[in-house]
Amino acid sequence: DKPTIAAINGAARGAGLDMALMCDLRIMADTATLAESYINVGLIAGDGGTYYLPRLIGVPRALELFWTGRVVESAEAERIGLVNSVVPAGKLMASAHELARRIAKQPFEAVRAYKRAVYQGMSMNLTTHLDMVSSHTSILRDTPEHREKVEAFLTRKK
């Protein structure tokens, strides 16, 4: 239920890339590179790459990367949605920690509900998904964090 952030610094090849794909968010150093390199040794991605990569960048791009083993530089990775952002190598960990802190400041139960709704919603029709989100909303309305945020909002409006 907790958000996961990959900080990619260096060459993430094969299983290294697949582990990054398993994370919710990915930040990449401008000097890092990525590749689904299994094809270069006559194998298929066995660590979740064939599940995650097409969902992130689409089937045609994913198949190209699987079939060619081509190295993806940071600018392209950001452009095609493989990573959320690219930062200077020397600022990678600071950037990842800052993002983690920003998320950690949010109400945990709402963060968890978003993660569940997004991932579970990918295999649901819209009606089922909206029913699930309605259930999450009902639970979140009873949390102390929600009440505190609403009170703070109303206090600012006065």
Side-chain angles (χ1 to χ4, degrees), residues 54-71:
R55 286 169 168 77
L56 284 173
I57 65 172
V59 171
R61 279 195 173 118
L63 285 172
E64 178 207 347
L65 295 180
F66 288 133
W67 288 339
T68 66
R70 180 173 68 77
V71 173

Side-chain angles (χ1 to χ4, degrees), residues 63-128:
L63 285 172
E64 178 207 347
L65 295 180
F66 288 133
W67 288 339
T68 66
R70 180 173 68 77
V71 173
V72 177
E73 304 286 334
S74 60
E76 180 184 6
E78 185 175 32
R79 180 179 56 79
I80 66 174
L82 189 48
V83 298
N84 296 81
S85 62
V86 172
V87 299
K91 296 183 178 185
L92 177 64
M93 293 311 295
S95 297
H97 288 137
E98 176 55 29
L99 178 58
R101 280 190 291 277
R102 286 183 66 196
I103 295 168
K105 287 181 181 178
Q106 301 297 347
F108 173 73
E109 292 300 328
V111 169
R112 181 168 75 164
Y114 266 116
K115 184 169 179 172
R116 287 183 177 187
V118 168
Y119 286 115
Q120 292 172 357
M122 292 177 75
S123 62
M124 294 179 179
N125 65 44
L126 179 60
T127 302
T128 303

Side-chain angles (χ1 to χ4, degrees), residues 1-3 103-117 133 135-147 149:
D1 283 342
K2 294 178 183 174
I103 295 168
K105 287 181 181 178
Q106 301 297 347
F108 173 73
E109 292 300 328
V111 169
R112 181 168 75 164
Y114 266 116
K115 184 169 179 172
R116 287 183 177 187
V133 170
S135 296
H136 285 312
T137 300
S138 294
I139 292 167
L140 291 171
R141 283 188 178 143
D142 285 337
T143 63
E145 294 88 352
H146 171 69
R147 288 189 292 276
K149 296 285 186 179

